[in-house]
Amino acid sequence: MSSTHFGYQTVDEAEKAGKVRGVFDSVASRYDVMNDMMSLGLHRAWKAYTVAVAALREGDKVLDLAGGTGDLAKAFAKKVGERGTVVHTDINEAMLRQGRDRLLDKGLALPTSICDAESLPFATGSFDLVSVAFGLRNMTHKDRALAEMCRVLRPGGRLLVLEFSKVAAPLQKPYDWYSFKVLPALGKLIAGDSDSYRYLAESIRMHPGQQELKAMMKTAGFGHVDVHNLSAGVVALHVGIKC
């Protein structure tokens, strides 16, 4: 049986999805609070930048993968208007439920679906834009997921991947200290779960860096890929255009 990584652990590929599901089941109810604490509120600026780069027009069709608690889906829905569509998805039911309820509280009833990004239940060429924010690194077969994202886009459609990446070298030591000392402590204090936040820090280190992910996106079928480093590379926004 093939193996893969779960943070710094090596596990059977068949086990990873269940382990990731356990992490997000554990943190779902406190996810938004922890995002603010972990990023010192910067995740809001990163997402706002992503929405600006998306440059959506009224009537566009958008697929938001690993949409979680719905920050991007909500912002995209405002841009595409009543003639457009934003499909809010996640593989994790607990996270998707949190997002659906939060969107409903804002008066937004969006199409919502539990789905695996490695095998999307949508027709080829269905969307103008696909987005995945802070979710790609948790996927077992990133190459399959990227190929599926490319498949469901129309020709000329765009993929936005917002994800933690490789930080600039001068910041590596303080970033490591924050990630492996402060984050688990915050997780224990706020969410009652230090192990899940230790995994999240490890998963960031195991995720492909900026240039490696750019190459993966090109292999998946994106003819042009731009990389936008945010906060000195703590996060990167990759923008791919389907051939």
Side-chain angles (χ1 to χ4, degrees), residues 8-30:
Y8 289 163
Q9 299 177 46
T10 300
V11 299
D12 289 337
E13 285 187 349
E15 295 178 12
K16 180 171 179 175
K19 286 181 174 291
V20 170
R21 186 177 302 112
V23 168
F24 286 95
D25 282 347
S26 174
V27 304
S29 64
R30 305 295 289 169

Side-chain angles (χ1 to χ4, degrees), residues 160-178:
L160 304 186
V161 180
L162 180 66
E163 187 55 89
F164 291 106
S165 200
K166 302 299 181 187
V167 71
L171 296 179
Q172 190 65 62
K173 286 187 176 180
Y175 183 55
D176 284 346
W177 173 81
Y178 182 76

Side-chain angles (χ1 to χ4, degrees), residues 7-243:
Y8 289 163
Q9 299 177 46
T10 300
V11 299
D12 289 337
E13 285 187 349
E15 295 178 12
K16 180 171 179 175
K19 286 181 174 291
V20 170
R21 186 177 302 112
V23 168
F24 286 95
D25 282 347
S26 174
V27 304
S29 64
R30 305 295 289 169
Y31 186 78
D32 290 323
V33 173
M34 279 301 298
N35 268 355
D36 280 328
M37 294 293 292
M38 287 191 304
S39 70
L40 306 177
L42 283 172
H43 77 100
R44 298 176 184 273
W46 299 331
K47 290 170 183 172
Y49 183 80
T50 301
V51 173
V53 170
L56 289 168
R57 298 172 296 183
E58 189 170 349
D60 278 348
K61 295 181 179 179
V62 179
L63 175 63
D64 184 26
L65 295 169
T69 54
D71 284 345
L72 284 182
K74 180 178 70 172
F76 289 153
K78 292 179 181 178
K79 298 293 185 181
V80 303
E82 292 184 0
R83 293 195 299 111
T85 303
V86 177
V87 181
H88 175 230
T89 76
D90 203 294
I91 197 172
N92 183 274
E93 184 177 357
M95 290 292 291
L96 194 64
R97 190 184 304 116
Q98 288 282 329
R100 179 202 60 196
D101 292 348
R102 190 164 171 247
L103 291 167
L104 287 173
D105 287 344
K106 299 291 184 181
L108 281 173
L110 302 181
T112 301
S113 175
I114 297 173
C115 71
D116 183 348
E118 295 179 19
S119 182
L120 293 172
F122 305 105
T124 298
S126 298
F127 297 97
D128 300 294
L129 182 89
V130 173
S131 68
V132 55
F134 307 114
L136 183 64
R137 75 181 188 280
N138 296 311
M139 297 175 189
T140 304
H141 304 101
K142 297 175 181 63
D143 52 348
R144 287 186 204 169
L146 290 169
E148 276 289 271
M149 295 174 205
C150 188
R151 180 185 66 80
V152 301
L153 280 166
R154 63 166 175 79
R158 289 172 301 145
L159 169 64
L160 304 186
V161 180
L162 180 66
E163 187 55 89
F164 291 106
S165 200
K166 302 299 181 187
V167 71
L171 296 179
Q172 190 65 62
K173 286 187 176 180
Y175 183 55
D176 284 346
W177 173 81
Y178 182 76
S179 298
F180 292 104
K181 298 296 185 182
V182 177
L183 290 190
L186 284 175
K188 182 68 173 177
L189 179 67
I190 296 170
D193 183 351
S194 60
D195 289 343
S196 291
Y197 286 93
R198 189 171 292 107
Y199 158 73
L200 292 176
E202 292 174 0
S203 71
I204 292 167
R205 300 314 187 278
M206 300 301 291
H207 185 65
Q210 287 90 332
Q211 294 308 308
E212 186 180 354
L213 180 54
K214 179 177 180 177
M216 289 175 69
M217 290 174 66
K218 287 197 167 187
T219 299
F222 294 93
H224 180 80
V225 181
D226 285 326
V227 182
H228 304 240
N229 278 317
L230 307 176
S231 301
V234 170
V235 165
L237 175 65
H238 285 67
V239 182
I241 301 174
K242 180 175 178 176
C243 294

